[in-house]
Amino acid sequence: MRLLSSSSPSFTYLTKMSFLFGSGAGAGASQNINPQAIEMAVNELDLITDVFNRLVSSCHAKCISDKYAEPDLNKGEGVCIDRCVGKFFEVNKKVGEKMQAAGGGGGAPGLM
Amino acid sequence: MADPTPHPAPPKPPAAAAPTLPANPTVPPSLRILQYTGIPASVLTWRPRLPSRNWLIFFTLTGTLTGAWYYDRRECRRLQEAYKDRVRWMAEQKLGGPEDRPRRLRVYAAVWPESDEGGAKWFKKYVKPILHAAAHDYHIEIGHTHGALTRLLAQRIQSRRRQALGLEPLPPPSPIDPSVEDARDLAGGVALMGRHTLKEYLAGLAEGWSGALQASARDTDLPKRIDASLPAFPDDADTLPAVFVPSSEPALPALSPPTLAPLSGPPTFIPAHPPVLVIPYVQPLGFKQIPRMIGGFFNHRARVREGGDAALRLIFGTARPIEPPRENAEEDFPPLDEPLPAPEARAPQGGWADSELDAEDLIKSSFELVPSNIHQRRKDYYAALVPRLKTARELALGEREPSKEEVEKPPKTERELREEAVEREKRWRDELEGWGVARKGAGVRWKRWMDGLREYGEYPEELRVE
């Protein structure tokens, strides 16, 4: 269940949004477009999108059975998703620490 | 006078006949027509027979034990499913959106006296499945050494007090509102695994809230105090054990006062505390408990009942005020820093402070020997420190060249040895304080404000599992 992909129309909209958030300036953005800043923002958004998609598909596969009795989430599934998300980020953090210890986390900045 | 009618002599028993084989069994009349069909005679004359005496003993014993074991485990499964069935409807309710967080209980499990483990595994086996079926979340804190939970809680509470006064930097802002988290904790409830955890927990609360607010955390302050109270390493290394460990008691030297004065006394207002439940948990240790352990192997269903009842009380029980202990219950205890008096026959404290009091009967009597044990370990440590100190001094002064092993693995310098000694002393002090809380008959560290605590009462009768 992919929510966003790099080629979707919503992507360009969000890139502009994040650039606006990043620079802090409201209106006059067109004069000061820094291609490097845009590229960094694009990369970061790609990264976050990828993590989000993985998280959603992983926790959906683990917590929600494939027999859909009703469309709403129930409390048991809610607890499962809470725990799944918590564990996912714990694992992310630990793996990030180990990679940094093993020498430079590569090009990707650590998350959270 | 002769008997007029002499009785005939009793008949002589017949001469013992030579033992003969039993007569050949005959084919019963109903099966005689099958005699000529070719079926062997042994099949036609078969009669059921009991096995021999020894086999009978074996089958009886094995069958009884296996049956008892199998019956018990089957009952365990049935009972646990029955408990889960009482609460499954809660997990099937609709989730009210991302803000609808599940109820989260805090479970504390301290280590049993003279053991390495506490009630965490018991909780996960007997209570957690029912909480999970009811879509309740929990967070378990495990104490790995004696007094670990006490120290953890006291540090947390003192940290909170310092943050409230603005004397300590607040934790980094998280996306979750801290007041929402506090409300969630209050609604969540606290579960304590056994009386030993109750004692450590209340000692931590007492130390945290009723103790003077220290300027710095215990873990940073204590090593400095220990360093100040220990004598310096003497010039003559051989006298080190005598200087550091005089042969008389007490186990540990008196501690110098804190480096910084306390900031304030106890607060006038202590925030509300969630309701508490003490879950019955014991750990029988020792040779004399073996019959009890063997009986317990065939009686896991009793534990399933206890765990299930505790879970239902946590889920459905209404909070009610506790029964406070007797009037002078809080005078029994000096602060943890001062030397401990020997507990003479203490009267029980009464009320909720005596929860699970009979669990203390299972604490081994050798637990009283912890201070003399620590004393002995100190002596051994400092005796072993003498050659290491000599080596460090010789190498530092250049009196000799380091040997091949010492080049590869350089021994500790005198300063590092001092740090190591201070760290060991801290560990021994932690152990002694934990022992002081956990001792049999030491009672619970009660403070008057604890009269306002609440506990989980009974759950509705119709939910009871038979």
Side-chain angles (χ1 to χ4, degrees):
Chain A
M1 193 174 81
R2 293 194 64 86
L3 213 53
L4 287 175
S5 68
S6 300
S7 52
S8 75
S10 50
F11 167 76
T12 25
Y13 171 74
L14 277 167
T15 321
K16 284 200 184 121
M17 294 257 299
S18 68
F19 168 72
L20 286 173
F21 292 148
S23 69
S30 43
Q31 291 102 321
N32 308 335
I33 292 178
N34 185 354
Q36 269 186 338
I38 285 192
E39 182 154 350
M40 262 178 57
V42 161
N43 280 340
E44 191 171 330
L45 191 65
D46 259 341
L47 203 63
I48 294 178
T49 311
D50 184 51
V51 167
F52 182 82
N53 284 337
R54 276 182 208 279
L55 174 60
V56 167
S57 46
S58 161
C59 290
H60 187 273
K62 288 189 167 140
C63 288
I64 301 181
S65 82
D66 45 0
K67 300 272 185 290
Y68 293 130
E70 52 186 20
D72 308 303
L73 278 181
N74 58 31
K75 292 197 194 253
E77 287 161 352
V79 168
C80 180
I81 290 172
D82 265 356
R83 290 185 185 148
C84 176
V85 169
K87 277 208 168 126
F88 188 95
F89 285 123
E90 276 289 318
V91 168
N92 215 348
K93 196 172 79 165
K94 281 215 163 3
V95 170
E97 281 166 15
K98 295 241 183 282
M99 274 196 74
Q100 282 202 335
L111 284 168
M112 308 265 165
Chain B
M1 196 148 117
D3 203 354
T5 53
H7 298 283
K12 283 202 181 66
T20 55
L21 292 168
N24 269 345
T26 52
V27 179
S30 51
L31 298 179
R32 270 200 200 123
I33 58 169
L34 297 174
Q35 263 177 318
Y36 303 102
T37 59
I39 297 173
S42 58
V43 171
L44 295 173
T45 57
W46 178 83
R47 296 184 65 191
R49 262 187 344 164
L50 275 183
S52 65
R53 182 201 73 134
N54 293 345
W55 274 114
L56 280 177
I57 294 171
F58 175 74
F59 286 139
T60 310
L61 275 175
T62 318
T64 309
L65 293 174
T66 310
W69 170 81
Y70 183 72
Y71 167 74
D72 178 62
R73 299 302 187 263
R74 201 180 58 182
E75 273 298 288
C76 284
R77 277 194 294 271
R78 178 190 75 82
L79 282 171
Q80 203 159 77
E81 280 308 307
Y83 279 114
K84 287 192 212 176
D85 286 339
R86 299 277 190 272
V87 296
R88 248 182 260 275
W89 59 273
M90 297 180 91
E92 285 157 12
Q93 287 174 329
K94 219 167 65 165
L95 193 63
E99 281 76 40
D100 184 7
R101 309 295 304 287
R103 179 176 158 196
R104 186 181 60 200
L105 293 127
R106 291 202 166 266
V107 184
Y108 294 95
V111 65
W112 182 264
E114 287 205 31
S115 168
D116 284 332
E117 54 172 20
K121 277 192 347 195
W122 196 102
F123 174 83
K124 285 178 186 168
K125 192 161 176 202
Y126 297 117
V127 184
K128 173 189 162 177
I130 299 143
L131 293 180
H132 181 74
H136 279 45
D137 204 358
Y138 72 93
H139 181 75
I140 185 164
E141 308 263 13
I142 303 178
H144 295 286
T145 49
H146 295 126
L149 276 186
T150 308
R151 289 188 285 276
L152 177 75
L153 278 164
Q155 299 220 57
R156 267 197 208 152
I157 294 170
Q158 293 249 326
S159 197
R160 253 182 79 170
R161 282 166 73 183
R162 266 181 248 125
Q163 283 165 12
L165 288 177
L167 297 162
E168 198 177 276
L170 291 167
S174 74
I176 303 170
D177 189 5
S179 64
V180 165
E181 284 296 297
D182 280 343
R184 222 177 138 204
D185 274 343
L186 197 60
V190 167
L192 303 174
M193 299 304 303
R195 182 175 172 82
H196 58 293
T197 310
L198 172 70
K199 282 160 66 167
E200 282 205 22
Y201 183 74
L202 290 180
L205 288 189
E207 177 80 3
W209 286 116
S210 299
L213 181 60
Q214 303 297 337
S216 56
R218 182 182 183 273
D219 276 343
T220 45
D221 200 39
L222 198 56
K224 295 185 203 144
R225 290 171 71 182
I226 291 175
D227 202 13
S229 60
L230 280 181
F233 284 156
D235 292 328
D236 182 9
D238 287 315
T239 59
L240 190 134
V243 167
F244 272 64
V245 190
S247 43
S248 57
E249 293 293 318
L252 288 177
L255 206 52
S256 63
T259 45
L260 295 165
L263 295 169
S264 76
T268 43
F269 172 65
I270 294 175
H273 196 271
V276 182
L277 179 68
V278 181
I279 299 182
Y281 168 74
V282 292
Q283 201 179 103
L285 290 174
F287 183 75
K288 284 195 246 177
Q289 302 300 326
I290 289 179
R292 186 196 171 116
M293 290 190 224
I294 294 175
F297 175 76
F298 293 105
N299 200 15
H300 282 188
R301 58 191 183 275
R303 295 186 228 175
V304 169
R305 274 189 202 282
E306 281 174 359
D309 276 346
L312 289 182
R313 279 177 79 171
L314 285 168
I315 296 170
F316 295 113
T318 41
R320 65 179 180 205
I322 56 156
E323 207 186 302
R326 60 180 155 80
E327 283 300 313
N328 51 353
E330 66 181 40
E331 291 156 10
D332 292 344
F333 306 102
L336 287 173
D337 268 358
E338 289 175 13
L340 298 158
E344 274 77 308
R346 269 183 219 279
Q349 292 166 301
W352 187 69
D354 278 346
S355 310
E356 305 291 316
L357 192 57
D358 42 357
E360 293 202 349
D361 293 336
L362 288 168
I363 298 178
K364 283 163 76 172
S365 52
S366 54
F367 196 50
E368 286 297 307
L369 301 174
V370 162
S372 54
N373 200 333
I374 292 178
H375 187 80
Q376 185 59 41
R377 275 189 274 155
R378 285 187 79 220
K379 270 169 65 170
D380 296 340
Y381 174 74
Y382 287 118
L385 197 62
V386 168
R388 294 167 75 196
L389 185 61
K390 285 187 178 163
T391 315
R393 283 178 172 166
E394 282 168 10
L395 290 175
L397 294 174
E399 282 171 18
R400 65 176 175 87
E401 284 302 309
S403 71
K404 197 156 66 89
E405 295 88 17
E406 284 164 358
V407 167
E408 285 164 22
K409 233 178 104 170
K412 291 192 174 179
T413 62
E414 187 166 341
R415 228 187 72 179
E416 286 169 352
L417 285 178
R418 178 85 183 172
E419 281 169 8
E420 186 193 293
V422 164
E423 195 256 321
R424 285 288 172 100
E425 288 279 340
K426 176 175 183 299
R427 220 190 295 170
W428 288 321
R429 182 161 294 274
D430 287 346
E431 194 182 325
L432 190 68
E433 286 177 6
W435 171 80
V437 170
R439 285 171 86 179
K440 177 172 176 172
V444 157
R445 308 232 157 191
W446 197 261
K447 297 284 172 197
R448 254 324 114 190
W449 60 264
M450 292 180 187
D451 288 352
L453 286 176
R454 294 172 294 153
E455 65 163 346
Y456 283 105
E458 290 299 328
Y459 52 89
E461 253 321 295
E462 54 264 16
L463 292 169
R464 184 170 295 280
V465 168
E466 293 311 318

